[in-house]
Amino acid sequence: WPFMMAGLAVVVYQQIDVIAISWMIGPRDVGWYSTADSLVTSLGAPATVVFAAIFPALGRLHRHDPEGLVRLVQRAFSLLTLAAVPIGLGTMVIAPSFAPMLYGDEFRETGDVLVAFGPVIILSFCTLLFGGVALATERSNLWVAVVLGAAALTIPLDAVLVPWTSDRFGNGAIGGAIAFIITETFQFAIGLWRVAPHLVNRATAWRIGRILIAGGAMMACTWPLREQFILLPIGVGAITYGVAVVALRVVGADERALIVDALRRG
């Protein structure tokens, strides 16, 4: 029952924005938004792999080793942020050329929507973890309420942002993506407050800060290359981010072990 309710809440949350946008603008903008949303969903695969690797352990540790649960959540949060930052920021860099390369020039505006979706990717990696922790620690009702609250918040946000971005940029789908940023931020904040408050500490903040510095270095090197062939910014970004992560000593032994376990399960 908790898994079914959580699954239904996620479906409502993920689909209600498309329905709301379709009430306010034409099918062209809905197509741009839906295409971008599908691409973002596929980019979330690393988070799904990590989640599948740790979820059985979360429930076991909740019953028998609460301190071990805290350590595992901290490691998973760091690892997911480590993966989410280059994916989210990299999407913002390559999106304007990536979408038309895949779907043609009629989907060029999808690239603008993908740029707005960049922060959503980073936030959603973390909210997936919070949802899993809530389910594993028998707080599914709380998280279902949070997700349904975010779904309800989507409608008034779309009502304001979609017409505004349609008038301002000629692309109402951007408003839907901005609304998504707000609702994911809402879930992220509640997750930190109620589901994983132990993540709010100096050590975690220092590690996340170093990851963001590495992401900033990647953006600085790839942004001037955003109009070049897509493989060039991807290659430069991967090298820059990898070197920065190593130089800043972001990845410890625990994260390396979790990466190996996730890859085996993936």
Side-chain angles (χ1 to χ4, degrees):
W1 177 255
F3 285 94
M4 185 181 74
M5 291 304 298
L8 288 174
V10 170
V11 170
V12 171
Y13 172 64
Q14 291 179 339
Q15 297 300 319
I16 196 169
D17 54 346
V18 178
I19 297 172
I21 291 171
S22 69
W23 293 339
M24 302 167 197
I25 52 178
R28 181 192 62 175
D29 297 59
V30 175
W32 293 336
Y33 182 86
S34 299
T35 304
D37 190 35
S38 298
L39 290 171
V40 168
T41 300
S42 65
L43 290 172
T48 304
V49 171
V50 172
F51 176 74
I54 69 170
F55 185 76
L58 291 174
R60 184 176 65 253
L61 291 173
H62 171 61
R63 293 283 186 175
H64 305 293
D65 186 5
E67 292 184 1
L69 173 68
V70 170
R71 291 193 296 270
L72 178 57
V73 173
Q74 289 173 335
R75 289 163 53 197
F77 182 77
S78 297
L79 180 59
L80 287 173
T81 306
L82 183 67
V85 166
I87 294 174
L89 298 182
T91 298
M92 297 175 70
V93 172
I94 68 172
S97 58
F98 184 58
M101 183 184 72
L102 285 180
Y103 301 108
D105 285 340
E106 62 269 26
F107 283 90
R108 186 166 298 277
E109 286 78 1
T110 295
D112 298 330
V113 183
L114 275 174
V115 172
F117 264 127
V120 172
I121 295 172
I122 299 173
L123 292 167
S124 64
F125 271 49
C126 300
T127 56
L128 175 66
L129 174 65
F130 295 151
V133 173
L135 284 171
T137 57
E138 302 174 285
R139 288 176 286 178
S140 60
N141 289 341
L142 166 66
W143 197 250
V144 167
V146 170
V147 175
L148 291 178
L153 182 61
T154 296
I155 297 175
L157 287 173
D158 283 340
V160 173
L161 294 170
V162 170
W164 177 70
T165 54
S166 181
D167 294 338
R168 181 72 179 265
F169 305 108
N171 187 348
I174 296 174
I178 296 173
F180 217 154
I181 295 174
I182 296 172
T183 56
E184 284 294 320
T185 301
F186 164 74
Q187 292 183 72
F188 181 85
I190 298 298
L192 277 182
W193 175 39
R194 296 296 303 275
V195 177
H198 45 269
L199 291 174
V200 184
N201 58 64
R202 184 177 298 176
T204 301
W206 171 232
R207 179 167 292 177
I208 300 304
R210 284 179 288 168
I211 292 172
L212 292 175
I213 291 172
M218 184 194 75
M219 283 284 284
C221 293
T222 56
W223 188 256
L225 306 173
R226 63 188 183 279
E227 296 181 359
Q228 302 298 319
F229 182 61
I230 190 171
L231 291 180
L232 181 59
I234 289 176
V236 171
I239 294 171
T240 303
Y241 187 72
V243 170
V245 164
V246 172
L248 294 169
R249 299 181 180 180
V250 174
V251 181
D254 288 343
E255 285 77 18
R256 287 195 293 270
L258 192 56
I259 290 171
V260 171
D261 187 38
L263 290 175
R264 287 174 178 170
R265 292 174 180 269

